Amino acid sequence: MKERISALLKREPKADIVTAEGWVRTKRDSKTVCFLEVNDGSCLKGLQVVIDKEQFANDGLLSSITTGSSVICKGPIVASAGGSQDVEMSSLDVTLVGECPVDTYPLQKKRHTIEYLREIAHLRPRTNMFGAVTRVRNTLAYAVHQYFQENGFVYVNTPIISSSDAEGAGQQFLVTTLDPTNPPRTKEGAVDYGQDFFGKKSFLTVSGQLEGETYAMAMKNIYTFGPTFRAENSNTKRHLSEFWMVEPEMAFCDIEGNMEVAESFLKYLFKAVLENCSEDMAFFSNFVEKGMEDTLRSIVDTPFVRLPYTEAVKELEKHSKNFTFPVAWGSDLQSEHEKFLTEVVFKSPVIVTDYPKDIKAFYMKLNADGKTVRGMDVLVPRLGEIIGGSERESNLDTLTKRMVEMKLNPEDYWWYLDLRRFGSVPHAGFGLGFERAVQYVTGMGNIRDVIPFPRAPRLADF
């Protein structure tokens, strides 16, 4: 394969002829020389290509090259006479692959607003900011697989279409082949999903957790990493209707082991970005969120505080006048509470555990007090919750009772309950919203800008 521009920029000056392929970011002309900045997405900085017009016979070709054009340039890498780069290409041959009409090209040589770039999501990866976001996202995704593969986890693909709701929230996208204008009806007049494609009501998955647990009961440690969906009508900077989730499940593991894995996993991801995306992280620290690199280094180097929910509430109640939302035992912690704990009280990441059972999902392990469950949320400075997880309920009778309490039909989860009938063991797991992690690492203000093609209420373009 041909070298990417990121590799060409690291070359020592030599007489060897090399090839650079990419898109023109900028073009500057003088009487005798044409300068092109060519970028192929492999790094933030483009390769400066210098074309001596006296040695280049085709002036018509050069005049056809504009910002946005795709080109193939050939020549040696030489020491740069300019101060903004160490090396450049002294081009001997240029091929114009694809023209780009300058009058209609949406990306002009100026700073565009993020809102405008969101309207041209098919072209925004060509900008510095979204190129950097894409490279960081790629590094994080690779690091997810590296971490789990290095630690003996098995990668499992859980279904996109499911008939169960892992969260019990009911905010799911219905998957159906029935005629929406004239669906079959039961005798009672309800839509007869028994005649649908799957013979029952089916949805886009909200989580791969329940299916992941089935494989943990055979493979011990597994993880799933795939798209999930929520039909939640939330138009906020933190919500998407389609997003990716990283969900490990571990058999023979309790909440203590769960916290250990969650902490080491986050530190591994952040360290990977700092080590492999230094140029992009410097860009984000300078132009998006000041001090972003220092924040990540601090998280990598700092032990996470572990704090029971009850103790967290007591601490927050001391400072209740600082909050918009009231703090009381039994209520869920709000983002402002989570940030206060991490940024003011402890000045470090915090793992809050043992939440009231009434505000957590049915599958979480019930504590001996009968009031709390072994749930955990990992909170980080500047964001709040970044990971949610728990030790799972492994007792058949307790789990069945919890389902009934939460108005779920145990018969719909017969296969999930079988895991407690046949060789049940303590097990635990957690979920990391991948886009939340990318947003946190880059400092981007809106989650719609860290996924290539965002899906949200009334937004399904591209």
Side-chain angles (χ1 to χ4, degrees), residues 21 39 56 107 156 187 203 213 299 305 307 331 378 411 433:
E21 301 168 328
N39 190 284
F56 194 83
L107 294 174
V156 173
K187 292 180 180 179
F203 310 89
E213 285 186 53
I299 292 175
V305 171
L307 183 71
S331 62
V378 181
E411 292 181 4

Side-chain angles (χ1 to χ4, degrees), residues 163-387:
S163 60
S164 60
D165 182 359
E167 300 300 322
Q171 296 168 324
Q172 295 176 276
F173 288 102
L174 181 67
V175 176
T176 180
T177 58
L178 297 179
D179 181 355
T181 62
N182 186 29
R185 301 282 180 178
T186 63
K187 292 180 180 179
E188 293 77 21
V191 175
D192 186 2
Y193 288 101
Q195 297 186 47
D196 207 347
F197 187 90
F198 294 107
K200 62 170 67 176
K201 226 174 180 181
S202 300
F203 310 89
L204 294 179
T205 185
V206 299
S207 168
Q209 178 200 317
L210 303 190
E211 292 86 354
E213 285 186 53
T214 67
Y215 271 76
M217 293 299 102
M219 313 301 292
K220 191 177 181 183
N221 292 340
I222 68 95
Y223 71 104
T224 181
F225 182 13
T228 54
F229 308 85
R230 302 282 170 89
E232 185 178 355
N233 191 20
S234 294
N235 283 286
T236 77
K237 295 180 178 181
R238 296 183 61 187
H239 289 87
L240 289 167
S241 300
E242 176 185 6
F243 54 96
W244 285 63
M245 285 284 286
V246 182
E247 297 177 289
E249 290 294 327
M250 298 160 284
F252 300 95
C253 180
D254 59 13
I255 192 171
E256 294 296 328
N258 206 27
M259 289 190 285
E260 289 175 13
V261 172
E263 179 174 345
S264 67
F265 175 56
L266 270 187
K267 289 182 174 182
Y268 187 98
L269 294 188
F270 294 165
K271 186 177 180 182
V273 169
L274 290 169
E275 290 179 349
N276 298 299
C277 298
S278 57
E279 182 185 40
D280 293 320
M281 288 308 301
F283 172 85
F284 289 122
S285 288
N286 288 331
F287 298 105
V288 179
E289 180 73 30
K290 297 295 183 184
M292 196 61 249
E293 292 172 287
D294 293 335
T295 298
L296 295 186
R297 287 193 188 96
S298 176
I299 292 175
V300 170
D301 296 336
T302 304
F304 290 12
V305 171
R306 300 184 182 186
L307 183 71
Y309 167 89
T310 300
E311 296 302 316
V313 169
K314 288 180 181 178
E315 185 63 42
L316 291 168
E317 285 177 333
K318 297 176 187 176
H319 309 277
S320 58
K321 63 181 181 181
N322 295 320
F323 305 127
T324 302
F325 295 93
V327 182
W329 199 97
S331 62
D332 212 352
L333 300 184
Q334 301 297 316
S335 180
E336 61 174 342
H337 306 145
E338 296 169 342
K339 290 179 181 180
F340 189 84
L341 289 172
T342 57
E343 296 172 11
V344 179
V345 179
F346 296 104
K347 295 181 172 59
S348 74
V350 177
I351 306 179
V352 179
T353 63
D354 302 301
Y355 282 83
K357 68 175 185 177
D358 293 337
I359 61 173
K360 289 298 182 181
F362 70 92
Y363 50 73
M364 295 190 181
K365 178 75 174 177
L366 189 67
N367 282 320
D369 60 14
K371 298 188 300 181
T372 61
V373 291
R374 293 180 195 173
M376 68 168 206
D377 286 340
V378 181
L379 317 179
V380 290
R382 201 175 51 78
L383 174 67
E385 181 193 343
I386 193 169
I387 280 177

Side-chain angles (χ1 to χ4, degrees), residues 41-63:
S42 59
C43 56
L44 192 66
K45 195 175 182 65
L47 174 67
Q48 178 165 280
V49 178
V50 182
I51 304 165
D52 187 338
K53 291 184 176 180
E54 293 180 358
Q55 297 181 14
F56 194 83
N58 195 342
D59 286 340
L61 174 66
L62 290 182
S63 63

